Amino acid sequence: MPAFTDVDWRVRGFDGTAWGPWSSDDGRGLCGFVYDTEQPAKPSVSSPEYPDDQKSWHDGVGSYGTFTVDSSSDDTVSYVNAGDPSV
């Protein structure tokens, strides 16, 4: 597939008896993404409680911290925290 190709689709469910509506019904549009072969820049991560100050250890057990994750890439929309689903 060539780089930067638009990939779109629509779906609908079937329970063995009846079909549901298409996902694009009622003006919702198609599902889709752009196939992008370029790797985005690595994210930057910062924290006031856990600064990147070259110390080998910061107190952390039981101590909450806040973290900011950012990217210099134009096409990075968001990051997902997969470590704790409650965050």
Side-chain angles (χ1 to χ4, degrees):
M1 177 181 308
F4 303 106
T5 299
D6 289 323
V7 179
D8 298 314
W9 68 92
R10 61 187 188 144
V11 297
R12 64 181 182 166
F14 180 66
D15 65 4
T17 303
W19 288 95
W22 285 103
S23 59
S24 58
D25 286 356
D26 298 326
R28 289 181 289 225
L30 298 172
C31 303
F33 63 91
V34 175
Y35 177 66
D36 183 352
T37 59
E38 293 182 16
Q39 184 175 6
K42 292 182 180 180
S44 62
V45 180
S46 60
S47 170
E49 295 85 8
Y50 300 96
D52 184 13
D53 57 7
Q54 305 306 316
K55 284 178 67 174
S56 61
W57 183 258
H58 286 280
D59 181 32
V61 177
S63 299
Y64 291 96
T66 56
F67 296 87
T68 301
V69 181
D70 199 7
S71 175
S72 60
S73 295
D74 293 346
D75 60 352
T76 300
V77 177
S78 65
Y79 291 96
V80 176
N81 177 2
D84 184 347
S86 67
V87 180

